[in-house]
Amino acid sequence: MADNRNVETTIRVGGKRSGAWLVRYALEQLPVSHTFGIPGVHNTEIYDELSESASIRPVLVTHEGGAAFMADAVSRTSEGEIGAVVIVPAAGLTNAMSGIGEAYLDGIPLLVISGGTRTDTEFGFKLHELDQHKILAGISKGSWLVKAHRDIVPAVFAAYRLAVNDMPGPVVVEVPANIQMFQGEVEALPAFEPHSPAAAVDETSVDQAVDLLVKAVKPGIFLGWGAVDVVRETEGIAELLGAPVATTLQGMSAFAGNHPLHTGMGFSRAAVPAAENAFKGCDCLLAVGTRFGEIPTGSFGCTVPEDLIHVDVDPAAFNRNFPAKVTIAGDARIIVPKLLEKLAERPLRNEERHRSVVKQILRDKNLYREEWYKHRNDKVNPAMFFDELRKQLADDAILVVDDGNHTFLAAELYEVRSKRSFISPTDFNCMGYCIPAAIGAKLVNPGRQVVGIVGDGAFLMTGLELLTAVTEGAGIAYFVFSDGELSQIAQGQEMTYNRKTCTVLGRLRLDGVALATGAGYVSIDCNSRIAGGIRAALAIADAGQPAIVHVNIDYSKRTRFTQGVVKTVRKRFPIGDRFRFIRRALLRKATG
Ligand SMILES: Cc1ncc(C[n+]2csc(CCOP(=O)(O)OP(=O)(O)O)c2C)c(N)n1
Ligand SMILES: [Mg+2]
């Protein structure tokens, strides 16, 4: 099928250009404001060119994994920008792989420019010589090895298009060092045309979907990251139907947490009670921009009705985990407004359902909060912490989480209020995301507050990117949930083995890290320090300096997520192994 979405016309150059100049030219045509990475002998020409750019700022990081996470956050939190990475081949690329993998499985566009070994010498065993494209095959949407000067701009544009079209993802363009350094003949350069999603909608499927929704007795709505740009329309659909709305973890900012029909993350037994209860007996589910992955389904433990309407840009998501009655392939920004328009044409009388759903959600949310508030000791209560944080932040503040128990506490207890204001490493689920990703988010959203919630284990992985934040003047408040453990795993070990192996951390002095990097430092060790500590950290961030906040968090109450997932997973074990696991845990309880 011809793709004429990005028609490029040609600009005549008719002269010699260096490859590095061509890379800079190509990047400047794209929605790229920053590049992230580390120079080496294979890309210093590109860095030198970028130093001359009026529109792109090259940012030095401490590790290429951080660069890729920063770039990922640029794509997630900006309006249409793509995060870009400039790295050396082999060692730089493999370091960046954590972020490339996250972007790949989370469906986030990412443009990686890698230097390449020289192609004009007869020698072998060169520095950083590796077939990068072999290792990229399973973790990127595509990769290019540029062979000549005239190929550079078309390759970067094609890579960009692939990254943003359909199911977005990471792409890599390798430019050998000799092509960067030396000049080559280029007759013409393609001019870049911005991307817009394909506008075709399958009207018949939309009509079928509307029919199902109209006749449903208990409809529900489930939104993923793919629905993040249609918040107004999904609110409209939810209100017309009087339907509860759950989101995925990645899609937490696809529906406002303070909307009366918002329930929570997922709707299985691993979801908060408001969501689990509101979706009980759901007879028609409208799912938009989600692939029913492991986290939001509570390890595939949710009940999905036969009348599933599945809207997604990736047809591979259809009928994979849950069979759908109606599937609509395409961009939610095109399909969801159409769904709303057609639904609004129908005579609907759902006021009674709307009232009772709202009442139940409110009651369940209040009860769940009370449960958390009652669970108090001398440490910092997570519900009190998140309530105070919410109170002190603007509605459009961006919360960046990492992966761990803190992620699910945030998902259950923090109210997300605007689109693209909650980001998390989800399907690749890579620890170490938060510290660097928050930097990327802040650099492209200088006017918004950016806050990180990070576990102490994840902090250890990429915490030295704080130096990058200090250098860049990125005012971010990082709340480090310091429990001394890799809790999300330690809790599972406790429940399953009655023993924690390799999940207790060495003691880390966060004030020492603050001193070493030039970040501000705040400590919140008990509930009475929550409000003052958050205020102090946000003030440091407002002044353009990152702040590390040691939070003496209480992890003694388990999230609904952890409890629910453990139950669901165990239930699926073969019966003999289930008993073996139970016997082992009981025996250890008795014998220590
Ligand atoms: C790169 C990577 N390694 C290991 C894991 C497995 N893992 C998931 S959560 C977790 C614990 C995280 O600990 P911490 O950052 O302290 O957060 P907490 O659970 O204590 O809030 C681990 C080890 C992972 N997701 N990613
Ligand atoms: Mg921890």
Side-chain angles (χ1 to χ4, degrees):
M1 199 172 70
D3 177 4
N4 55 7
R5 276 177 270 171
N6 298 99
V7 186
E8 285 155 11
T9 50
T10 310
I11 297 169
R12 286 208 58 75
V13 185
K16 285 194 157 192
R17 292 285 190 270
S18 77
W21 184 93
L22 291 161
V23 170
R24 171 185 155 194
Y25 170 86
L27 290 177
E28 284 178 344
Q29 310 311 303
L30 300 177
V32 170
S33 65
H34 296 77
T35 64
F36 303 92
I38 300 183
V41 290
H42 295 81
N43 63 14
T44 46
E45 276 294 311
I46 297 178
Y47 272 98
D48 198 61
E49 276 294 339
L50 288 173
S51 75
E52 302 268 311
S53 177
S55 58
I56 299 175
R57 179 175 167 73
V59 174
L60 170 64
V61 301
T62 63
H63 186 284
E64 289 87 348
F69 288 142
M70 288 176 208
D72 160 300
V74 165
S75 297
R76 290 192 206 224
T77 62
S78 65
E79 292 279 348
E81 263 198 51
I82 185 165
V85 171
V86 178
I87 48 176
V88 297
L93 184 86
T94 53
N95 272 0
M97 216 58 116
S98 299
I100 295 173
E102 196 63 65
Y104 186 57
L105 290 197
D106 286 4
I108 305 298
L110 196 69
L111 176 58
V112 179
I113 306 289
S114 160
T117 53
R118 288 179 68 158
T119 51
D120 60 342
T121 65
E122 74 276 25
F123 301 111
F125 308 111
K126 287 172 278 193
L127 189 69
H128 297 321
E129 189 174 21
L130 199 69
D131 183 345
Q132 305 203 96
H133 307 276
K134 239 187 217 164
I135 54 176
L136 281 165
I139 201 168
S140 68
K141 271 188 92 177
S143 70
W144 283 254
L145 171 59
V146 165
K147 301 245 167 59
H149 289 77
R150 65 175 172 282
D151 298 339
I152 292 178
V153 178
V156 174
F157 287 177
Y160 169 78
R161 269 201 305 276
L162 187 69
V164 296
N165 278 346
D166 304 323
M167 182 69 183
V171 293
V172 181
V173 180
E174 176 180 341
V175 187
N178 52 306
I179 298 181
Q180 289 174 43
M181 289 188 288
F182 309 138
Q183 289 197 324
E185 205 70 53
V186 186
E187 279 134 40
L189 296 174
F192 181 73
E193 294 279 329
H195 160 76
S196 54
V201 182
D202 176 359
E203 301 267 347
T204 317
S205 302
V206 174
D207 289 334
Q208 283 169 354
V210 169
D211 286 343
L212 288 182
L213 288 168
V214 169
K215 78 171 176 48
V217 176
K218 225 180 157 200
I221 299 174
F222 186 39
L223 305 175
W225 181 254
V228 80
D229 290 320
V230 285
V231 176
R232 201 183 54 77
E233 289 83 356
T234 50
E235 274 181 13
I237 294 173
E239 281 159 16
L240 282 174
L241 294 172
V245 180
T247 70
T248 63
L249 176 66
Q250 204 183 331
M252 288 253 311
S253 66
F255 202 80
N258 54 347
H259 189 286
L261 288 165
H262 170 274
T263 60
M265 192 267 285
F267 51 91
S268 68
R269 57 143 67 106
V272 291
E276 190 189 12
N277 293 336
F279 282 78
K280 267 188 191 139
C282 168
D283 63 346
C284 177
L285 184 70
L286 170 63
V288 182
T290 168
R291 293 173 294 179
F292 290 90
E294 184 151 7
I295 289 180
T297 58
S299 222
F300 315 110
C302 61
T303 307
V304 174
E306 220 172 273
D307 285 355
L308 167 63
I309 302 154
H310 198 171
V311 179
D312 203 274
V313 76
D314 181 11
F318 299 147
N319 303 306
R320 179 65 185 87
N321 289 337
F322 298 96
K325 183 71 71 67
V326 177
T327 59
I328 313 175
D331 195 308
R333 289 171 293 182
I334 305 295
I335 294 162
V336 176
K338 196 88 208 161
L339 261 174
L340 173 62
E341 187 192 309
K342 294 207 172 200
L343 196 64
E345 286 165 6
R346 299 292 189 92
L348 292 164
R349 296 201 53 81
N350 296 322
E351 293 83 1
E352 189 45 47
R353 178 161 74 206
H354 192 295
R355 256 194 305 278
S356 79
V357 169
V358 165
K359 205 167 134 195
Q360 182 185 11
I361 292 171
L362 185 65
R363 193 201 58 206
D364 286 345
K365 280 192 175 180
N366 285 339
L367 284 174
Y368 190 56
R369 262 221 143 50
E370 274 172 32
E371 201 183 296
W372 273 95
Y373 268 72
K374 276 192 206 135
H375 188 88
R376 268 193 242 185
N377 53 32
D378 57 351
K379 291 191 173 181
V380 175
N381 178 286
M384 292 173 78
F385 172 84
F386 280 114
D387 280 352
E388 184 60 34
L389 184 65
R390 181 65 278 174
K391 217 163 95 189
Q392 292 196 30
L393 289 177
D395 279 2
D396 70 347
I398 299 170
L399 197 78
V400 183
V401 297
D402 213 289
D403 178 44
N405 190 48
H406 58 281
T407 315
F408 301 103
L409 285 174
E412 293 184 8
L413 300 170
Y414 177 77
E415 195 174 84
V416 181
R417 291 190 185 154
S418 69
K419 72 169 188 171
R420 295 179 183 268
S421 68
F422 178 96
I423 61 171
S424 64
T426 309
D427 286 343
F428 193 70
N429 212 225
C430 193
M431 282 169 70
Y433 178 83
C434 171
I435 301 284
I439 298 171
K442 184 68 188 178
L443 291 181
V444 289
N445 295 277
R448 293 167 75 180
Q449 289 168 308
V450 176
V451 165
I453 303 289
V454 57
D456 39 9
F459 181 89
L460 284 167
M461 291 193 175
T462 50
L464 285 182
E465 293 295 357
L466 270 154
L467 195 59
T468 311
V470 170
T471 313
E472 294 296 316
I476 300 157
Y478 288 109
F479 296 92
V480 186
F481 281 17
S482 304
D483 68 315
E485 292 188 356
L486 301 171
S487 178
Q488 187 62 21
I489 305 304
Q491 287 186 25
Q493 287 178 326
E494 239 172 357
M495 291 158 85
T496 313
Y497 309 110
N498 243 313
R499 180 179 294 174
K500 295 177 199 171
T501 307
C502 280
T503 46
V504 177
L505 298 168
R507 205 173 122 65
L508 174 72
R509 287 278 303 265
L510 286 171
D511 51 348
V513 182
L515 183 69
T517 55
Y521 178 74
V522 176
S523 177
I524 300 178
D525 46 22
C526 59
N527 291 331
S528 63
R529 304 290 296 274
I530 294 175
I534 292 175
R535 204 168 299 116
L538 294 181
I540 294 170
D542 269 356
Q545 187 193 16
I548 304 178
V549 188
H550 161 83
V551 185
N552 183 27
I553 198 77
D554 175 24
Y555 272 180
S556 62
K557 180 171 164 56
R558 288 185 182 132
T559 58
R560 289 272 304 190
F561 178 80
T562 299
Q563 295 175 52
V565 164
V566 169
K567 274 190 207 139
T568 299
V569 171
R570 271 196 201 154
K571 232 176 122 187
R572 277 200 220 104
F573 277 17
I575 191 88
D577 286 293
R578 205 187 314 168
F579 281 120
R580 187 172 62 82
F581 269 64
I582 293 169
R583 251 197 328 270
R584 181 174 61 187
L586 288 175
L587 191 70
R588 285 186 182 169
K589 202 165 199 167
T591 58

